[in-house]
Amino acid sequence: MESLDIQATKSSPLVAFDPAAGVLQIEGQSYPENPVRFYEPVLSALEGWLTEKTAAVLTVNINLSYMNTSSSKCLMNLLDRLDSASRAGRTVSVNWYYDRDDEMAYESAEEFREGLEVPFNVIALQD
Amino acid sequence: MLDTLLFDLTNTLGQENLLLTFCGPFSQGIIEELGTALRGYLSTTKNLSQLRSSVFSIFIEQTQNIRNYFRTRAIDELSDSRHGYGIVVIGNDKDKFFVSSGNLVYKADLEPLIERIEHIKSLSKEDVQALYKQTLRNKQVSESGGAGLGFIEMARRASEPLEFSTTVIDDRSSFFTLRVVI
């Protein structure tokens, strides 16, 4: 089972995936030069896990203080995948953290959530 | 000669209330360093989080646009410094921040670029928002790996319509500038 332990850089977030616990953590800033390439291993680890562990519960924590538009699209892809797993009967939940002082960060979370059936908690970060 | 030029440049830039100016090759590393400097500056100001994140976001979208364009068109920044350089400035004008940038654009790419920006400029804030949501959800990625969201993101975070200009360099290329007021 593939685990992930990608350290954060100035422009890319920490990504940690613990297959045993069923927890995926994405945290930091996301504006790498090639977001598609950056998120590809994340999607592929997730895909492998969903195929192999057919009964396990998955929690995804996303805490990004900034993401560029290309990263947003990659995250939307990831959320779509989680949503289809949820619709197929898997127990998946998303915790999306945002800066409580930034109104647009809240609106952005709502935009991601719109139309998804996967449980999606939008959580304000305290100062 | 160069000494006078530097002095004049500094004076000119100062008159425009610019906080940060960069002219040179836009590598990912340079974008990150400038971004960090900008973050540092913005964190010392008393502006709202949303304003700070908008200035940062518009800066990243503009500089990565230029970086991606040069990469896609194989414009070599080091071997052709006259054409391969981009310029970006961040300033403060009547209590509003602005981010402006300029770069070479090939003739064949200019018309589609202008059409795209004119289209976004013609939309109401609500329509820009709707276009953003729709584009976020389509699966298309451009040849440069772009999401097609950059100009839309700038327009929705801007407090004034996007402004652009073009200046012909030669029969193959023009210099394109974009100004976004936050």
Side-chain angles (χ1 to χ4, degrees):
Chain A
M1 188 65 55
E2 192 186 354
S3 68
L4 290 174
D5 185 15
I6 303 168
Q7 296 302 305
T9 69
K10 268 193 178 128
S11 63
S12 62
L14 168 152
V15 179
F17 182 49
D18 180 344
V23 176
L24 170 65
Q25 184 83 18
I26 302 176
E27 192 175 331
Q29 301 198 85
S30 184
Y31 61 106
E33 176 140 46
N34 190 333
V36 175
R37 199 179 302 151
F38 181 81
Y39 284 101
E40 199 277 325
V42 185
L43 278 166
S44 120
L46 204 60
E47 198 57 57
W49 188 90
L50 285 166
T51 312
E52 213 170 308
K53 294 222 175 186
T54 50
V57 172
L58 179 68
T59 307
V60 178
N61 299 314
I62 300 173
N63 180 359
L64 290 171
S65 57
Y66 171 69
M67 71 191 92
N68 67 357
T69 52
S70 311
S71 296
S72 298
K73 210 153 187 175
C74 294
L75 284 161
M76 195 65 241
N77 268 341
L78 185 122
L79 293 171
D80 278 342
R81 182 63 193 95
L82 298 174
D83 191 56
S84 65
S86 173
R87 284 172 199 249
R90 299 296 299 266
T91 308
V92 180
S93 63
V94 177
N95 295 313
W96 184 284
Y97 296 86
Y98 75 99
D99 172 6
R100 62 184 295 177
D101 294 329
D102 186 347
E103 199 177 306
M104 260 192 105
Y106 176 76
E107 283 169 19
S108 172
E110 290 295 331
E111 278 162 13
F112 279 104
R113 175 156 74 174
E114 202 174 294
L116 300 180
E117 281 182 16
V118 63
F120 192 119
N121 308 305
V122 178
I123 303 160
L125 283 168
Q126 305 299 315
D127 291 332
Chain B
M1 178 62 193
L2 190 59
D3 296 348
T4 321
L5 176 66
L6 291 179
F7 178 68
D8 290 346
L9 265 175
T10 310
N11 276 339
T12 308
L13 297 171
Q15 282 161 15
E16 298 293 324
N17 296 316
L18 302 182
L19 310 164
L20 191 148
T21 306
F22 179 81
C23 178
F26 281 29
S27 67
Q28 171 72 11
I30 281 171
I31 293 171
E32 290 171 12
E33 291 302 329
L34 293 171
T36 305
L38 177 61
R39 267 267 159 82
Y41 170 78
L42 291 170
S43 69
T44 65
T45 64
K46 287 209 167 67
N47 295 296
L48 297 169
S49 299
Q50 184 177 323
L51 178 71
R52 292 203 295 252
S53 65
S54 288
V55 174
F56 186 76
S57 174
I58 288 167
F59 168 78
I60 295 291
E61 294 299 329
Q62 285 198 29
T63 51
Q64 287 192 327
N65 260 358
I66 296 173
R67 165 81 180 144
N68 289 337
Y69 179 67
F70 283 1
R71 215 185 43 206
T72 313
R73 288 287 172 264
I75 296 172
D76 191 329
E77 295 170 340
L78 297 174
S79 69
D80 190 354
S81 59
R82 225 158 40 91
H83 290 161
Y85 280 10
I87 184 164
V88 63
V89 302
I90 298 161
N92 218 319
D93 184 21
K94 300 182 205 97
D95 296 329
K96 281 185 173 179
F97 283 102
F98 61 87
V99 180
S100 296
S101 62
N103 63 288
L104 172 139
V105 174
Y106 285 133
K107 201 174 174 181
D109 299 318
L110 196 60
E111 208 51 47
L113 174 66
I114 292 172
E115 272 174 28
R116 176 149 182 78
I117 298 175
E118 289 286 15
H119 173 63
I120 292 167
K121 274 164 70 80
S122 73
L123 301 174
S124 65
K125 272 275 180 198
E126 290 72 27
D127 288 344
V128 168
Q129 200 62 29
L131 182 61
Y132 182 89
K133 280 193 208 176
Q134 182 198 329
T135 313
L136 180 65
R137 282 170 168 74
N138 75 30
K139 304 284 182 198
Q140 294 159 12
V141 177
S142 76
E143 59 177 316
S144 64
L149 281 166
F151 291 122
I152 309 173
E153 168 76 356
M154 291 186 230
R156 70 183 195 137
R157 285 185 177 272
S159 66
E160 293 173 17
L162 306 183
E163 286 172 45
F164 68 89
S165 76
T166 60
T167 308
V168 173
I169 298 174
D170 54 34
D171 55 3
R172 287 178 64 219
S173 49
S174 290
F175 192 74
F176 169 81
T177 72
L178 179 68
R179 176 185 166 92
V180 183
V181 179
I182 298 109

